[in-house]
Amino acid sequence: MAEAVGVVAESLAGDRARAARTVLDQVVLPGEELLLPEQEDAEGPGGAGERPLRLNAGSRSRGRVVCGPGLRRYGDRLLVTKCGRLRHKEPGGGSGGGVYWVDSQQKRYVPVKGDHVIGIVTAKSGDIFKVDVGGSEPASLSYLAFEGATKRNRPNVQVGDLIYGQFVVANKDMEPEMVCIDSCGRASGMGVIGQDGLLFKVTLGLIRKLLAPDCEILQELGKLYPLEIVFGMNGRIWVKAKTIQQTLILANILEACEHMTANQRKQIFSRLAES
Amino acid sequence: MQRGLDSETKKQLEEEEKKIISEEHWYLDLPELKEKECFIIEEQSFLLCEDLLYGRMSFRGFNPEVEKLMLQMNAKNKVEEVEGEAVELDVSDEEMARRYETLVGTIGKKFAKKRDRANYEEDENGHIKPTVKVKKMFLKPQD
């Protein structure tokens, strides 16, 4: 224990920047600096005096690197601000240097522009609704931000309703604002979520894991019985099935699957399928 | 007797005031800071990082509208591959052509005078087509 602590203290005190490439999929801690690939080349073989000749010395061919959640720009390097695993995604279109981000886990949601969230209407004041999304402030939702809403044709939204919408304004200086239409003016699934069902809260990392394209949990769930799920990026999930018992089973599975291994999950699903 | 200032002196005073203001230099005397080219963009959203599916889902027909939406939205992510999809036609092109052919007859009949209505015959399939009637020309009497 003491040795491990000593090693960690040394590495933190030295604070040598590591190359981002070498740390992919490893745990990083806040305060670490990461070098991007091009800088690492320049600083590497400098000591030997044999620098590779660069024909395009002026321009950097890497394009723009995007630093995602958990990272910040620190001069020319990346500074880690959250603990978790470092991930990287190659650029699809060929331009840009790809995306780096930290896969961290937390329960508290911070509104981000473009996120789809589930909110609860807490107040109705004049022309706007106040919607609780789990952040530091309730978001505001204008009554005109629904599909087909006009000044005379108001949407049927009451206090206590569940709303699925996305943020248009979300930064640390202003109150977040959300809407229930997309840029073309269509609802595309957003708006008031229907009757019945159950709303519960999970961690943010689990939501992202469940919404990954190759998620087995959802595929297995879908085979059990007819159901409907809505995932909000603020950690809220709403489920509905034909009977109350089925709904509760769903909720329990989704809450528990974060800490289960794949084998345990398969056992539970097979038991459910039998009954 | 003149009260107040002359128009000339007024102008001079104004110009002097303007000079004073412009000389104050609204800009600080700092050396020009060159903004370094930054190749790093900060984004706080996970949408760029991970390809996430659409948040509303329905299984085994519980909510048909949501299932349609699921197909639409998740296909949007792969829209670049399937760009050349042909629009499904409800009515084929041939049928449209046939309809227009007979449409001319049906509507034309409406506007034809009573005498000309006899020209419109019923075809094999019940389509109304106007038969072209030869117009009677003046025949010059032969000697």
Side-chain angles (χ1 to χ4, degrees):
Chain A
M1 265 287 282
E3 288 174 329
V5 170
V7 164
V8 168
E10 271 177 24
S11 65
L12 284 179
D15 214 18
R16 275 172 298 139
R18 298 190 277 176
R21 224 174 28 196
T22 58
V23 201
L24 281 181
D25 287 341
Q26 290 178 33
V27 174
V28 289
L29 296 174
E32 288 187 14
E33 291 178 23
L34 299 170
L35 288 171
L36 293 168
E38 281 71 11
Q39 286 146 349
E40 177 209 337
D41 292 337
E43 292 178 21
E50 297 170 7
R51 293 224 171 160
L53 234 183
R54 285 176 187 271
L55 293 172
N56 53 344
S59 70
R60 299 193 194 191
S61 49
R62 96 184 116 178
R64 297 193 162 230
V65 172
V66 180
C67 74
L71 292 171
R72 284 192 124 187
R73 187 168 70 91
Y74 187 61
D76 271 347
R77 306 169 177 185
L78 298 176
L79 185 69
V80 179
T81 53
K82 289 205 176 132
C83 39
R85 289 182 188 260
L86 185 70
R87 305 271 187 219
H88 174 61
K89 181 172 123 173
E90 292 295 326
S95 68
V99 194
Y100 288 93
W101 75 94
V102 176
D103 203 355
S104 62
Q105 180 66 288
Q106 62 182 56
K107 285 185 165 189
R108 167 67 66 174
Y109 177 68
V110 174
V112 167
K113 181 174 166 178
D115 264 1
H116 291 261
V117 293
I118 300 181
I120 308 175
V121 179
T122 53
K124 199 169 160 181
S125 64
D127 289 341
I128 56 169
F129 303 108
K130 288 286 179 197
V131 180
D132 164 46
V133 291
S136 55
E137 285 186 275
S140 74
L141 169 64
S142 163
Y143 76 97
L144 289 172
F146 290 85
E147 187 176 15
T150 58
K151 284 193 181 168
R152 297 206 181 159
N153 178 19
R154 293 184 173 228
N156 186 15
V157 177
Q158 308 302 325
V159 172
D161 278 353
L162 292 177
I163 302 265
Y164 186 62
Q166 64 177 346
F167 286 112
V168 286
V169 171
N171 50 43
K172 60 183 170 76
D173 304 314
M174 294 165 61
E175 172 193 54
E177 292 176 26
M178 58 187 286
V179 289
C180 290
I181 51 174
D182 63 8
S183 49
C184 303
R186 291 175 303 205
S188 62
M190 293 187 273
V192 180
I193 297 178
Q195 297 284 319
D196 308 327
L198 176 66
L199 179 79
F200 57 97
K201 199 163 172 353
V202 294
T203 55
L204 307 189
L206 178 64
I207 301 268
R208 279 183 280 124
K209 184 170 130 190
L210 289 170
L211 284 179
D214 51 353
C215 180
E216 298 169 351
I217 307 174
L218 281 183
Q219 288 164 12
E220 289 173 33
L221 267 181
K223 291 177 201 161
L224 279 178
Y225 33 71
L227 56 101
E228 188 184 348
I229 315 185
V230 180
F231 293 97
M233 296 294 287
N234 52 346
R236 294 182 181 170
I237 304 182
W238 178 84
V239 287
K240 183 172 170 187
K242 289 209 167 132
T243 66
I244 297 182
Q245 200 187 28
Q246 288 177 349
T247 313
L248 287 173
I249 293 175
L250 272 181
N252 284 333
I253 293 181
L254 286 171
E255 283 182 32
C257 70
E258 193 175 1
H259 304 290
M260 286 198 288
T261 62
N263 286 334
Q264 288 170 331
R265 214 175 54 222
K266 282 178 191 164
Q267 281 175 17
I268 293 191
F269 275 116
S270 55
R271 251 191 288 159
L272 275 175
E274 286 164 28
S275 64
Chain B
M1 188 168 91
Q2 272 183 2
R3 283 193 195 172
L5 297 166
D6 233 356
S7 58
E8 285 181 18
T9 41
K10 267 191 204 169
K11 278 185 201 169
Q12 279 175 12
L13 276 174
E14 276 176 29
E15 281 174 35
E16 278 173 39
E17 276 178 23
K18 277 185 199 168
K19 274 189 206 166
I20 294 170
I21 293 170
S22 65
E23 280 172 11
E24 260 176 26
H25 284 302
W26 296 103
Y27 308 98
L28 296 171
D29 279 337
L30 290 175
E32 265 186 44
L33 295 168
K34 269 190 189 170
E35 201 188 289
K36 289 184 199 169
E37 276 183 274
C38 53
F39 289 86
I40 306 177
I41 309 172
E42 281 188 26
E43 288 275 347
Q44 288 300 317
S45 165
F46 275 105
L47 290 175
L48 274 181
C49 308
E50 305 172 23
D51 281 329
L52 297 175
L53 296 174
Y54 187 58
R56 282 195 91 149
M57 299 187 189
S58 158
F59 295 101
R60 291 179 64 167
F62 195 78
N63 191 338
E65 293 164 8
V66 173
E67 300 212 353
K68 257 190 265 171
L69 259 178
M70 273 171 74
L71 292 171
Q72 245 184 347
M73 292 301 210
N74 294 333
K76 259 192 210 174
N77 292 345
K78 305 164 191 172
V79 116
E80 285 90 34
E81 297 170 19
V82 197
E83 261 182 354
E85 226 185 78
V87 180
E88 276 176 27
L89 302 166
D90 296 319
V91 184
S92 72
D93 291 333
E94 286 171 10
E95 237 196 274
M96 280 299 281
R98 255 182 280 146
R99 281 286 162 80
Y100 270 118
E101 207 178 24
T102 57
L103 194 66
V104 168
T106 329
I107 303 290
K109 200 175 175 189
K110 192 175 163 188
F111 295 103
K113 296 199 175 161
K114 217 170 177 180
R115 281 187 195 169
D116 299 333
R117 251 180 249 161
N119 295 344
Y120 287 84
E121 280 182 6
E122 285 247 337
D123 215 348
E124 321 103 43
N125 302 337
H127 298 309
I128 298 174
K129 277 187 188 172
T131 48
V132 182
K133 197 185 176 189
V134 179
K135 222 178 168 185
K136 289 180 182 171
M137 290 285 297
F138 174 69
L139 289 169
K140 197 172 176 185
Q142 292 169 349
D143 283 339

